Amino acid sequence: MHRRSQIFGAVKGKLSAIPNFAAAGKVERGRVRAIPQEMLPAITLTWADAGERSEVRPMANAAGADGYDRRLALSIIVHLRDLDPEAEFDRICVDVERAMGEAITLDGSAIEALLQATEFFVDRETGLPLGVGRLVYATHYTTLASDPEAAAL
């Protein structure tokens, strides 16, 4: 499994441990259909908002093989339900930031995952909330060039 998928699995595990997101389907990597209202609030994990950047890492293992330093912008999209979605988003951010802050290396699958940005979305013309927000984590990890499942030194 690509280390990127290992990272998403670790994030899903951390966020699924939050009591309000422990039910099946509340935290998913990508979604293929709309979220039923009774499942809200919910979280979707993605990296579709920004690509992954890589740089060559020479001598990435004991044998001298090349590897990559990778930076992934991991988005945690929060789908909201309350009548006051901005307050709901802030409450959920407390839980998400706490869970992510307690696991900066994501159980060893990353060098670090640090909060880079937070956004609450509103309609630009009306100012009405769109019922969604996101937290973006800059996630740094390494792989061997010849084996994206293996971490580089």
Side-chain angles (χ1 to χ4, degrees), residues 13-118:
K14 297 299 176 194
L15 300 183
S16 294
I18 298 170
N20 289 339
F21 295 97
K26 294 281 260 182
V27 180
E28 293 292 337
R29 179 181 178 187
R31 295 195 184 262
V32 294
R33 62 184 54 88
I35 303 166
Q37 179 140 355
E38 62 273 6
M39 287 291 293
L40 295 175
I43 291 174
T44 301
L45 307 174
T46 186
W47 61 297
D49 300 329
E52 179 181 79
R53 308 252 187 264
S54 301
E55 295 178 11
V56 173
R57 180 184 190 91
M59 304 293 290
N61 70 3
D66 285 342
Y68 295 111
D69 282 323
R70 297 177 184 248
R71 294 207 179 270
L72 172 68
L74 190 150
S75 290
I76 299 173
I77 300 170
V78 181
H79 309 273
L80 304 163
R81 179 182 180 143
D82 278 2
L83 293 176
D84 185 353
E86 191 169 2
E88 180 186 25
F89 181 62
D90 281 344
R91 285 191 308 272
I92 292 170
C93 283
V94 168
D95 291 335
V96 169
E97 290 177 39
R98 182 175 291 131
M100 293 294 289
E102 291 172 353
I104 288 177
T105 66
L106 301 172
D107 300 327
S109 59
I111 294 170
E112 62 187 3
L114 302 173
L115 183 61
Q116 179 179 4
T118 306

Side-chain angles (χ1 to χ4, degrees), residues 11 29 74 99 141 146:
V11 171
R29 179 181 178 187
L74 190 150
Y141 69 104
S146 62

